[in-house]
Amino acid sequence: ASKAPSPSSPKALIYMSLLALQFGIQPCLTKKFTSPEIIIPTVIFTQEMVKLLMAIIGITLSTSTKWKDVTSGWSIQSWLRLALLPATIYLVQSTCSLLAYQNLDAITFNVLNQTKTLSAALCCFLLLGKRQSKLQIVALVVLLLAALVLEGVLPLDFNYYVNYLSNTKTADNNDTTKFSISSRHVSHGVLPIMLASFLSGLAGAITQKRLQSGGGRNALMFTMELCVASILILLVSFATSEVGKKIQERGFFDRWTLLTLVPILTNSA
């Protein structure tokens, strides 16, 4: 078996740099090329199709992985047991993330998205029994508080809390709405990305637990299983929900342009 590249190897550094670049520009690309009026599930459906195609190509072109090996022991029962719940959670996460992309600037999105580290640690403890050291717990809490403070969700102004508790207005009307839970910035941006970050940690912990108990999976094969499960769930929702009616009325590609594919491709890679 081939060894994983060292973290300090040129190959690893290139991969990390590309990942950091994608992480930084993804919010900008999504906000610029995805219309706020687009039907969100159509974007997620297309993204899952692209991921599925990439996984198929990856296995087909791989010199060290064969279809016979990755499908050995596979069954519909094992697929449903391993992939159905995580795929459902990832669909909700993708929906929340796309909503947050459209309503937050890139810096706000990326800073708040870092709270997934906290949710991953919490979910790994609850589901896998993996404990964090006291220092790690303090660091995770500081990470969460820093994200909230930096974006103004948790203001440092003591007078704000005094005014809030006394139910009085500040001199500047903007101050009374800046942190209002009903504002669009919070309800359509901050809360969705916080929920998406939590779901990311939850799905990751569930996946890890099920893979450990299920004998493991080839990474690309498991990606395919997640994509197929997500696509089937979306098709059912198209046939049974209001989303399907919107697609019938407006068309699947309503508010799409060719450039809408750019953030889909970068997010799928």
Side-chain angles (χ1 to χ4, degrees), residues 103-156:
N103 291 280
L104 295 176
D105 61 85
I107 295 179
T108 301
F109 181 93
N110 282 330
V111 169
L112 294 180
N113 195 33
Q114 294 304 312
T115 58
K116 67 172 63 175
T117 306
L118 177 62
S119 67
L122 175 63
C123 292
C124 283
F125 169 71
L126 295 176
L127 297 179
L128 302 173
K130 291 187 175 181
R131 294 180 175 273
Q132 307 292 322
S133 67
K134 292 182 179 180
L135 183 60
Q136 288 173 323
I137 293 175
V138 171
L140 291 170
V141 173
V142 170
L143 172 65
L144 174 62
L145 293 176
L148 297 177
V149 169
L150 284 173
E151 299 312 320
V153 179
L154 189 66
L156 293 178

Side-chain angles (χ1 to χ4, degrees), residues 51 70 105 173 187 209 224 254:
K51 288 180 182 178
V70 299
D105 61 85
N173 188 54
S187 62
K209 183 176 182 179
M224 288 177 55
D254 182 55

